[in-house]
Amino acid sequence: MKRLLLLGGPIFQKFVIHKAKKMGLYVGVVDINANAPAAEFSDEFFIGSIKDKEAMMKVALSFKPDAIMSGACDTSVNTVAWLCKKLNLSGITEECAIKSTDKVEMLNAFVLAGVACPSYQVVKKKEIGSFVPSLPYPFIAKPTDSAGGRGVNLITNNSELKDLIKSSSSSGASGDVLLEECLQGPEVSVEILVVDSVPYVIQMTDKLTSGAPHFFEIGHVQPSSLTKEHQEQIAMLAKDAVRAVGIQSGASHVEIILTKDGPKMIELGARLGGDCITSLLIDRSISGLDMTSMAIRLALGNSVKIPDYCNSGKYAAIKFLPSAEGVLKKINGSEEAEGIPGVMHVEVVGEVGQQYQSAVDDSSRFAFAVALGDSQQKALEKCNRALGMLNVEVGK
């Protein structure tokens, strides 16, 4: 039996595990959290920091994997690349991993390759008290080395500059902050499989965000409603971006905004998309291709040929219930919500008894719902109806 080791056990990793097991694989998962949401679905679970390369090497030597993947987890991309090189397994290069996780290196790679992206400025942690922004207001501040929308702030004037820069700095490991031109327009994600250095666009997803000032994600729906012309422009940019950072094999999750001047890159990940995008949504919105399974086969070093595939004729959507401030006293009703025709999955991710703040990034959610519809609107309406059926109580 072939063995797959996944570094990171967030909730959306469980769908990767399900696919791997259907393929007959024995699955190991590593996470620093002993109660990682995906741990219970693995065949073998290890506790450890997925950022600690030497510790992960010990796990790998014990587990003896035929493939190592980040799956839908961005935090482990660098460690996975390092392990795959050391163990002679299929994966991206360490240089590619850096360019796919370090937002500054990523933008530098885009600029060098002529890939459209926002204007930007880097603020080192030691410069926060004295730097002068070169970008015109408004602009976005974010940590150079974080993910999941953590530490993202919209800065509109000089009076809020220092406080919000410090807020972004505190959300990253290095403390360095990236300032970016504030792009305006509809936002999409592009799911790509790269086979033998050739990128293939599998699906395009319209993204729903909270808007200013934090722009965290509140939902996704696919296929995109953008015009064919705009989708072709976005697909071309996404492929160029993947080439720019050097992804030669595997999955990539690419985020783009369609501005009045055309599409521009936000960022990408050398991994599967989270939020059920490359599992529940793609599996229902297209026919003829299983993206997650193909990414696993690539990680195993197997040859893969992209088959003929097309939109299924259905729209698939996911909506999140962001957290609210207070202690989560009660949340139930997911089974009843799943009884709504067209609702595929409802999951509670909030922990009763835990203190929450009002959501400011993608990490703070109470629940999510996934639904199918004959249009984007109908799919989203079913998600909203399902979430509305949940009985949620938040108190002091």
Side-chain angles (χ1 to χ4, degrees):
M1 179 182 288
K2 295 286 186 180
R3 301 165 74 88
L4 171 67
L5 183 62
L6 289 170
L7 300 195
I11 188 66
F12 299 108
Q13 200 79 299
K14 76 176 187 178
F15 299 105
V16 182
I17 297 171
H18 292 333
K19 289 292 182 75
K21 287 189 172 184
K22 285 184 178 179
M23 296 169 67
L25 302 180
Y26 185 85
V27 183
V29 172
V30 192
D31 200 285
I32 198 168
N33 177 11
N35 298 310
E40 64 178 297
F41 302 98
S42 66
D43 294 301
E44 201 167 339
F45 179 64
F46 304 87
I47 300 173
S49 170
I50 57 178
K51 293 183 179 181
D52 186 335
K53 294 178 180 178
E54 295 297 340
M56 292 303 98
M57 176 60 80
K58 291 179 181 179
V59 170
L61 292 175
S62 170
F63 186 74
K64 297 180 175 59
D66 297 285
I68 304 176
M69 292 180 68
S70 297
C73 178
D74 199 67
T75 311
S76 62
V77 168
N78 285 287
T79 304
V80 168
W82 182 82
L83 287 172
C84 287
K85 180 181 179 181
K86 293 287 187 180
L87 298 174
N88 197 31
L89 298 174
S90 180
I92 61 174
T93 67
E94 291 180 85
E95 180 183 5
C96 174
I98 292 170
K99 291 179 180 178
S100 301
T101 53
D102 185 301
K103 292 178 172 60
V104 179
E105 291 296 326
M106 187 185 303
L107 287 168
N108 290 341
F110 293 160
V111 171
L112 185 63
V115 175
C117 62
S119 303
Y120 61 98
Q121 177 184 5
V122 180
V123 184
K124 296 292 185 180
K125 183 179 181 180
K126 63 183 180 181
E127 301 171 345
I128 288 176
S130 60
F131 89 101
V132 176
S134 61
L135 297 176
Y137 293 109
F139 51 77
I140 302 291
K142 61 177 73 170
T144 60
D145 54 5
S146 188
R150 295 173 181 83
V152 175
N153 288 292
L154 175 68
I155 302 179
T156 61
N157 58 68
N158 196 56
S159 65
E160 61 189 23
L161 177 65
K162 296 296 170 60
D163 285 344
L164 292 181
I165 290 290
K166 289 179 181 178
S167 171
S168 294
S169 174
S170 66
S171 295
S174 68
D176 296 343
V177 176
L178 175 65
L179 307 183
E180 288 183 339
E181 166 193 3
C182 183
L183 302 179
Q184 297 186 24
E187 184 176 346
V188 300
S189 67
V190 185
E191 306 313 315
I192 287 179
L193 274 175
V194 184
V195 180
D196 297 329
S197 299
V198 179
Y200 297 87
V201 171
I202 307 303
Q203 186 57 287
M204 200 170 294
T205 309
D206 288 340
K207 188 184 298 291
L208 289 72
T209 76
S210 64
H214 301 297
F215 303 96
F216 60 88
E217 296 171 356
I218 60 173
H220 310 279
V221 59
Q222 55 183 230
S224 172
S225 62
L226 294 177
T227 66
K228 181 179 180 181
E229 179 183 1
H230 283 147
Q231 290 193 44
E232 288 173 350
Q233 293 172 358
I234 289 168
M236 186 178 300
L237 179 65
K239 291 178 182 179
D240 288 343
V242 165
R243 294 188 188 99
V245 299
I247 300 175
Q248 297 179 321
S249 180
S252 181
H253 174 74
V254 184
E255 298 180 344
I256 292 172
I257 286 182
L258 179 61
T259 75
K260 61 181 179 57
D261 299 316
K264 290 188 178 183
M265 283 296 305
I266 304 174
E267 59 189 38
L268 61 75
R271 56 171 174 80
L272 292 164
D275 289 356
C276 298
I277 289 175
T278 45
S279 52
L280 297 184
L281 299 195
I282 281 183
D283 285 354
R284 272 70 177 186
S285 73
I286 65 172
S287 299
L289 183 148
D290 184 327
M291 182 175 178
T292 302
S293 297
M294 293 185 73
I296 293 171
R297 281 162 40 203
L298 287 169
L300 287 165
N302 296 339
S303 60
V304 169
K305 181 179 179 181
I306 301 293
D308 291 333
Y309 64 95
C310 61
N311 286 334
S312 66
K314 291 289 185 180
Y315 290 83
I318 183 170
K319 284 293 295 293
F320 305 104
L321 181 62
S323 65
E325 185 174 3
V327 176
L328 182 59
K329 299 287 190 179
K330 177 173 62 177
I331 180 167
N332 54 43
S334 59
E335 291 184 3
E336 293 82 356
E338 279 190 342
I340 298 172
V343 172
M344 297 187 302
H345 187 73
V346 179
E347 184 150 350
V348 171
V349 295
E351 296 183 23
V352 173
Q354 181 172 318
Q355 176 75 41
Y356 285 88
Q357 300 298 320
S358 295
V360 295
D361 59 43
D362 302 341
S363 67
S364 194
R365 297 161 172 168
F366 285 159
F368 65 87
V370 181
L372 283 178
D374 294 329
S375 67
Q376 280 199 352
Q377 181 180 358
K378 289 181 179 179
L380 289 168
E381 284 176 350
K382 290 176 183 178
C383 288
N384 290 334
R385 184 180 168 194
L387 293 176
M389 288 184 67
L390 298 179
N391 184 11
V392 182
E393 182 181 332
V394 180
K396 295 182 179 180

